[in-house]
Amino acid sequence: MKVLVIGGGGREHALAWKLKQSEGVEQVFVAPGNAGTARDVQLTNLLITDKVALREWAQANAIGLTVVGPEAPLAAGVVDEFRAHGLAIFGPTQKAAQLESSKAFSKAFMQRHGIPTAEYQTFTDPVQAHAYVDAKGAPIVIKADGLAAGKGVVVAMSLAEAHEAIDFMLLDNTLGVAHNEGGARVVIEEFLEGEEASFIVLCDGVNALALATSQDHKRLLDADQGPNTGGMGAYSPAPVVTPAVHQRAMDEVILPTLRGMAADGIPYTGFLYAGLMITPDGRVKTLEFNCRMGDPETQPIMMRLRSNLAQVLLSATRAELDQVTLDWDPRVALGVVLAAAGYPMNPRKGDAIAGLPGDEADRMVFHAGTADANGQVVVSGGRVLCVTALADSVAAAQQKAYGVVDGIRFDGMQCRRDIGYRAL
């Protein structure tokens, strides 16, 4: 079987890397891919991004399974396009992807279906938004209603920070948010205390199958300081997701979401990522939904997966997830993101990358924002690489991953030195 992965980031590199190991898969294409997927002789980059052109290519090349990585193609309706022509594709439809592409849709959905989440209000008028923040006080959370590549959330610890975020999102659009119909909107919600975890499942419209637990580090700097980012590192499993929390997440968040989407006439298929806040007393609240695997959570999760990913995802396209079990490596996987100079606001591109090691079974460098410039791997995005290692403990996985990190060099390289500290 030939498989197509849509996307060009670290998540897609990790998915393609795992899919090529699946028995029965003869070739994996990545559209458009990056310098890391280009360097892998078992993967083939495909420089097509238009959904109709991709679908026509998939038909012409007898692609047996397509897996969608990032949010933008989902929001653009790539799944609808492929399905309309009888092609097997794993991901949510354009309407279902509103769970991520519109924070306002998502919050209203959760409120309607009794899914635990933070108190909130939605605004298009900056004057009203500023007044609401003044009335509520800080800390408070400001979210852009639209796709923002993981940077559309500001956890404002002061009123000044909250007001600045409102102006960024409603007036300046400094964050480059892809606004939904009706123009710029923000969702302002209460700040929740607790520990965040990423709870990611596979969905086939009826059934949900949980992936290994994981936790990422959103802030740029050590000890969770600095601005929010798309994620500076992650590890799996996440001790904070105890068996009791896992059950609550399934019973109170995931299954009600599947039932609610079906009841609303929008059956949900694909990866579903629930960003959860786990309160000190073990309750669970939903911070957000993503309609895809998390990045950088995908990299550690794929390192631990032992099952045939292609067959699992094919089963999901046939609504047969209730017949699937997943096999996991019991070891810890930990990934450290190396980011470009100026990330997250103004990442610098073009810096040459040196010291990239070869791939090993328990140590992988997944590429995200990289490109090939005349045979030299260069920085082409904000988050550049994710160095991921597998070991018997968090401390051992840290040591192994940072050992690789220390050998990689590019000008202005940023990385946290404490990934996994919550689990130690």
Side-chain angles (χ1 to χ4, degrees):
M1 178 174 66
K2 296 178 189 172
V3 176
L4 169 64
V5 175
I6 296 176
R11 166 186 44 232
E12 290 76 43
H13 187 184
L15 287 168
W17 171 81
K18 181 53 65 175
L19 284 161
K20 77 178 186 182
Q21 298 168 25
S22 299
E23 189 179 345
V25 170
E26 58 182 283
Q27 202 167 3
V28 178
F29 298 90
V30 192
N34 55 42
T37 52
R39 279 164 51 120
D40 190 324
V41 295
Q42 294 175 280
L43 304 175
T44 305
N45 282 0
L46 181 67
L47 298 179
I48 305 174
T49 53
D50 175 76
K51 67 182 181 185
V52 175
L54 270 174
R55 184 265 302 163
E56 289 173 345
W57 182 91
Q59 283 180 300
N61 288 273
I63 297 297
L65 172 67
T66 298
V67 182
V68 190
E71 60 272 31
L74 296 170
V78 70
V79 171
D80 309 68
E81 175 67 31
F82 272 57
R83 281 194 190 160
H85 293 85
L87 292 164
I89 183 166
F90 186 67
T93 62
Q94 187 173 34
K95 280 187 174 177
Q98 288 180 99
L99 273 180
E100 175 172 9
S101 63
S102 171
K103 295 285 190 291
F105 173 92
S106 175
K107 294 294 286 191
F109 171 84
M110 285 189 266
Q111 194 172 55
R112 194 164 63 247
H113 292 286
I115 295 161
T117 189
E119 177 191 301
Y120 79 102
Q121 290 286 334
T122 302
F123 299 93
T124 54
D125 181 337
V127 174
Q128 291 178 359
H130 286 303
Y132 182 77
V133 161
D134 283 332
K136 289 290 182 182
I140 196 162
V141 181
I142 319 293
K143 296 181 176 181
D145 180 43
L147 297 178
K151 298 191 291 289
V153 178
V154 173
V155 181
M157 302 311 288
S158 67
L159 285 175
E161 206 179 345
H163 290 308
E164 181 184 46
I166 290 166
D167 288 340
F168 271 169
M169 293 176 193
L170 288 181
L171 299 175
D172 309 335
N173 199 15
T174 309
L175 298 171
V177 176
H179 293 312
N180 291 310
E181 201 173 326
R185 274 193 300 195
V186 293
V187 171
I188 303 179
E189 59 184 46
E190 69 172 316
F191 173 81
L192 297 174
E193 294 276 4
E195 197 169 338
E196 278 189 56
S198 311
F199 198 86
I200 307 173
V201 300
L202 310 175
C203 301
D204 66 9
V206 178
N207 308 292
L209 181 64
L211 296 177
T213 61
S214 60
Q215 190 166 25
D216 78 335
H217 297 255
K218 286 272 191 270
R219 299 278 188 164
L220 181 68
L221 306 174
D222 284 10
D224 295 326
Q225 301 297 305
N228 251 17
T229 71
M232 292 300 293
Y235 57 95
S236 173
V240 69
V241 184
T242 62
V245 167
H246 192 287
Q247 198 60 52
R248 289 191 99 149
M250 290 298 289
D251 293 345
E252 298 174 19
V253 178
I254 300 300
L255 295 175
T257 297
L258 272 185
R259 289 193 294 266
M261 292 295 277
D264 290 352
I266 318 170
Y268 191 92
T269 57
F271 297 111
L272 180 63
Y273 169 126
L276 302 179
M277 181 64 80
I278 300 159
T279 62
D281 61 357
R283 288 180 300 118
V284 167
K285 284 201 174 184
T286 314
L287 296 170
E288 64 176 352
F289 284 120
N290 290 330
C291 295
R292 53 191 163 90
M293 288 280 280
D295 187 348
E297 296 95 331
T298 306
Q299 292 88 318
I301 289 172
M302 288 299 113
M303 287 285 282
R304 292 188 60 216
L305 183 66
R306 287 174 167 170
S307 302
N308 182 317
L309 181 61
Q311 287 305 316
V312 169
L313 299 185
L314 264 182
S315 296
T317 66
R318 298 166 181 157
E320 294 171 354
L321 275 179
D322 56 332
Q323 300 168 36
V324 175
T325 55
L326 297 175
D327 182 25
W328 298 101
D329 192 311
R331 291 178 290 172
V332 173
L334 183 142
V336 179
V337 168
L338 309 186
Y343 179 78
M345 295 304 283
N346 297 294
R348 187 174 74 206
K349 298 179 182 179
D351 290 310
I353 303 169
L356 290 168
D359 298 347
E360 293 185 25
D362 62 351
R363 201 182 66 181
M364 274 292 299
V365 179
F366 293 108
H367 288 234
T370 65
D372 187 290
N374 301 315
Q376 171 71 60
V377 179
V378 300
V379 172
S380 68
R383 289 182 297 163
V384 182
L385 303 165
C386 183
V387 177
T388 312
L390 202 53
D392 289 330
S393 67
V394 174
Q398 268 186 338
Q399 189 176 10
K400 193 179 289 187
Y402 281 109
V404 177
V405 167
D406 291 339
I408 297 172
R409 301 174 303 285
F410 57 88
D411 286 346
M413 183 176 103
Q414 303 185 77
C415 79
R416 284 181 57 159
R417 304 297 306 189
D418 66 346
I419 300 304
Y421 80 91
R422 287 183 181 274
L424 286 171

